[in-house]
Amino acid sequence: MGEQETEQTARDWWIYRGSGTPHGGIDDLPEAPAWRAFDEFSEEELMAPPGDDAPAATARRLGRAHQATAYQADDKEIELVNLALHLRRPLLITGKPGVGKSTLAYAVAHELKLGHVLRWPITSRSTLRDGLYAYDAIGRLHDAGIKDPTDTKNEPSIGHYLRLGPLGTALLPWHRPRVLLIDEIDKSDVDLPNDLLNVFEEGEYEIPELARLGPDAQDVMTSDHEGKARVKGGRVRCAQFPFVVLTSNAEREFPTAFLRRCVRLEVQPPDEHRLAAMVAAHLGGNTATASLRTELITDFLRRQREEGAALANDQLLNALLMAERGLWDNEAGRELIHKVLLRPLTDG
């Protein structure tokens, strides 16, 4: 067997290939291991991921789609993504700001056609419930107080006041796993990683406000644009574990119990070849500015390596974009690029 055939055989288990080209490979994902299998649903009960053609999915989402297509994943990243897919475990991505940790989630969703990414940005005030659902009890009381008490036909249901969060939406019984991005988990309160453990293990959660109403199904809103879902007995259960990406800037340590339930990926800053490929994917191939791109990429890497400058990949893209629009043609423009667009992130 030749070297090329051996390499291809070693990659036969890959579902995500890092090609940036959408395909239906997710249908070839083997069944979940017994310890990660969740509830079974009929075909009619499974939900189809929404498309990206909703009004809310305009400029920002189109930009995300372009980033996803342009993402340059290396073999290590591809392998760990596939491990997380096969094992139905969260992927914890650690790395410096700006190296593309979040973009990997969009790249996987784009290539495997899993719908748009459900993003949960974490702050120091984030709680597990924020990710699961929000209930507008005050709004319901307000509406109940101003409505005609004799009008019982047009009374809004409780689902009109309850919206599932990104995590809660990801755990619905989707036909294909959704992609959930829990962004900057290291900013969270110390308890949040441990609070996530039970949800990650069980793949379900209860909404007490609905559970109190009995076993009947209730329609609720989701994190998707104009999304609706039917919840029976107040309990949301997944058919298969979502592809969960947690990002961390390595600013804190996590509990051992949390870490052992994750596939861990440390993203290194890209080298010159990978940066050049990323730039070409975002800005296109421009032979007229090839030497300019090489100059700026070389300087970008030198400053990171020799000076320890905290610089993000998107800073390089911004600098190159403006350089190619003429700012590099004079001394004042070059100084503006260096002082503003390529200013280290740690500079006050």
Side-chain angles (χ1 to χ4, degrees), residues 145-183:
I146 63 174
K147 82 175 187 68
D148 182 352
T150 63
D151 182 11
T152 58
K153 294 183 178 180
N154 297 316
E155 182 176 357
S157 68
I158 187 173
H160 184 75
Y161 305 94
L162 200 149
R163 182 183 297 275
L164 303 186
L167 173 57
T169 300
L171 290 170
L172 287 167
W174 297 103
H175 186 268
R176 290 179 168 185
R178 294 295 299 272
V179 176
L180 170 66
L181 171 61
I182 303 179
D183 215 4

Side-chain angles (χ1 to χ4, degrees), residues 95-318:
K96 294 181 179 179
V99 296
K101 300 187 298 295
S102 301
T103 307
L104 182 54
Y106 292 89
V108 173
H110 172 75
E111 182 177 319
L112 298 183
K113 299 192 291 188
L114 299 179
H116 64 262
V117 173
L118 296 162
R119 179 173 177 265
W120 181 16
I122 300 298
T123 71
S124 60
R125 299 180 299 277
S126 298
T127 65
L128 178 62
R129 176 164 165 168
D130 295 332
L132 294 177
Y133 73 96
Y135 174 53
D136 185 9
I138 295 177
R140 191 182 186 195
L141 286 172
H142 177 267
D143 290 349
I146 63 174
K147 82 175 187 68
D148 182 352
T150 63
D151 182 11
T152 58
K153 294 183 178 180
N154 297 316
E155 182 176 357
S157 68
I158 187 173
H160 184 75
Y161 305 94
L162 200 149
R163 182 183 297 275
L164 303 186
L167 173 57
T169 300
L171 290 170
L172 287 167
W174 297 103
H175 186 268
R176 290 179 168 185
R178 294 295 299 272
V179 176
L180 170 66
L181 171 61
I182 303 179
D183 215 4
E184 299 192 330
I185 183 70
D186 48 354
K187 287 185 176 179
S188 73
D189 177 87
V190 66
D191 293 325
L192 182 59
N194 280 327
D195 292 342
L196 286 168
L197 292 181
N198 186 62
V199 176
F200 284 169
E201 286 302 295
E202 301 302 324
E204 64 178 64
Y205 64 98
E206 184 181 77
I207 302 175
E209 292 84 352
L210 298 184
R212 285 194 289 267
L213 301 179
D216 292 341
Q218 302 289 334
D219 290 328
V220 300
M221 298 178 287
T222 73
S223 288
D224 295 314
H225 177 73
E226 297 184 350
K228 294 286 182 66
R230 178 154 291 188
V231 177
K232 295 181 180 179
R235 183 159 292 275
V236 175
R237 299 173 296 137
C238 71
Q240 50 188 318
F241 193 70
F243 179 67
V244 180
V245 173
L246 306 107
T247 69
S248 167
N249 294 329
E251 295 177 353
R252 62 179 279 193
E253 294 183 357
F254 295 106
T256 303
F258 176 79
L259 291 176
R260 72 180 178 86
R261 288 171 171 84
C262 297
V263 175
R264 297 155 67 183
L265 166 62
E266 185 173 349
V267 175
Q268 300 296 331
D271 58 18
E272 186 172 355
H273 173 76
R274 193 172 174 189
L275 275 180
M278 179 197 72
V279 169
H282 280 281
L283 301 181
N286 189 342
T287 56
T289 59
S291 60
L292 168 60
R293 291 185 179 184
T294 300
E295 180 182 350
L296 271 174
I297 289 173
T298 300
D299 182 63
F300 180 83
L301 291 172
R302 180 194 60 78
R303 293 177 65 191
Q304 284 185 325
R305 182 174 56 253
E306 297 178 6
E307 301 175 13
L311 295 169
N313 295 348
D314 53 358
Q315 289 179 274
L316 174 63
L317 288 173
N318 292 336

